Amino acid sequence: MKNFISPSARLGKQTTVGMNTVISDDVTIRDHTHIGHNVVVHPRVEIGSHVRIDDNTVIGKQPMKSIISATTSDQMKPPTVIGDHCIIGTSVVIYAGCILGEKVLVADLSSVREDVTIGVETIIGRGVAVENKSTVGSYCKLETNVYLAAYSVVEDRCFLSPCVATSNDNFVGRTKERFKHYKGVTLKKGGRIGTNATILPGKTIGEDALVAAGAVVTSDLEPRKIYTGAPAKYFRDVPLEQLLENQE
């Protein structure tokens, strides 16, 4: 097995590359970075220093567009940028047009679609899908199998438990009217969502609010309150000691 490293690629000092890996034209990889086996890095990608990219991962993939897609553009996206000290797991796909801040972890089998920005020190867990045109803030945790719909916003220090599902289409794929109303979810700073909760399109969850496990959010939720049930209803206020402002 042999590598292909483009003559126009720039690799930093003490950067290592595994077997059967492709480093495409005009890629920049800075110092002390490790690229695993069977990795593909697409043209013009920028990878910071002290980054780890594990086996079978693809960085900078251009999106595919179905003839019936409502949210995917067929325009070429700008190159992916991976910040310093990031860790990218095995069999991850990070699309073109993504920007990852420093110290982001993207765990095995996850995908981060085009036009996504992820803030510093955020964790994207195993099997998570972050769809296109979404923003995830800094110091967030998206745990195993979270699905973040396109056009969503997750602000800083939010927590999404395993198997949280979000959506962006109130018309469920029917009628042309849906093309005017696509909108993902908005999770304000410090918001938390419990395991297997479902958030319907366009809904905003207020700052420091908590959605209980299994809840179904069908309307906007106020800050600093706990919501349970299907549909989600007010249960009680978030205890003072749990508010973000009271964390050390």
Side-chain angles (χ1 to χ4, degrees):
M1 294 186 293
K2 295 183 179 180
N3 296 329
F4 171 78
I5 300 178
S6 169
S8 63
R10 298 172 292 277
L11 275 62
K13 295 181 295 184
Q14 298 184 12
T15 283
T16 60
V17 178
M19 295 184 293
N20 204 35
T21 285
V22 175
I23 309 293
S24 302
D25 294 344
D26 300 315
V27 167
T28 299
I29 303 175
R30 305 202 184 279
D31 299 344
H32 303 283
T33 285
H34 173 70
I35 310 293
H37 305 306
N38 306 312
V39 171
V40 177
V41 183
H42 284 272
R44 299 184 296 132
V45 166
E46 298 180 20
I47 298 173
S49 64
H50 299 274
V51 172
R52 168 182 155 185
I53 299 176
D54 287 349
D55 305 339
N56 302 310
T57 281
V58 178
I59 307 293
K61 179 184 185 295
Q62 290 290 333
M64 301 175 293
K65 179 173 171 57
S66 164
I67 195 170
I68 61 172
S69 175
T71 64
T72 303
S73 168
D74 55 6
Q75 295 180 340
M76 292 287 289
K77 298 296 179 181
T80 300
V81 178
I82 308 291
D84 296 343
H85 297 279
C86 286
I87 301 175
I88 313 296
T90 295
S91 300
V92 170
V93 181
I94 298 180
Y95 283 68
C98 290
I99 300 174
L100 273 60
E102 294 184 0
K103 300 181 181 178
V104 168
L105 185 150
V106 182
D108 301 345
L109 304 173
S110 292
S111 65
V112 181
R113 287 281 302 277
E114 66 274 15
D115 301 322
V116 167
T117 300
I118 297 176
V120 301
E121 295 191 37
T122 280
I123 297 173
I124 305 296
R126 180 183 176 91
V128 168
V130 180
E131 295 284 17
N132 50 312
K133 301 184 186 299
S134 292
T135 300
V136 180
S138 298
Y139 313 107
C140 295
K141 292 182 181 179
L142 280 64
E143 297 205 323
T144 299
N145 292 335
V146 165
Y147 178 77
L148 188 66
Y151 300 95
S152 291
V153 176
V154 176
E155 295 186 357
D156 295 347
R157 299 189 183 277
C158 290
F159 187 99
L160 284 75
S161 300
C163 302
V164 166
T166 65
S167 51
N168 59 19
D169 181 7
N170 272 315
F171 295 82
V172 199
R174 297 282 174 85
T175 79
K176 293 182 178 180
E177 183 71 12
R178 73 186 192 277
F179 295 109
K180 302 176 184 178
H181 301 288
Y182 273 114
K183 186 178 181 182
V185 304
T186 299
L187 183 57
K188 293 289 190 178
K189 184 177 179 181
R192 294 175 291 167
I193 305 179
T195 300
N196 211 37
T198 300
I199 318 300
L200 295 190
K203 300 302 177 278
T204 296
I205 296 171
E207 189 169 314
D208 243 341
L210 172 60
V211 177
V216 179
V217 176
T218 61
S219 60
D220 293 345
L221 304 184
E222 295 183 11
R224 301 183 173 210
K225 300 182 186 302
I226 299 173
Y227 293 85
T228 65
K233 301 291 185 183
Y234 170 75
F235 176 63
R236 62 185 173 92
D237 290 353
V238 174
L240 291 176
E241 67 272 13
Q242 290 191 22
L243 292 176
L244 194 58
E245 64 193 44
N246 295 324
Q247 306 309 301
E248 295 182 357

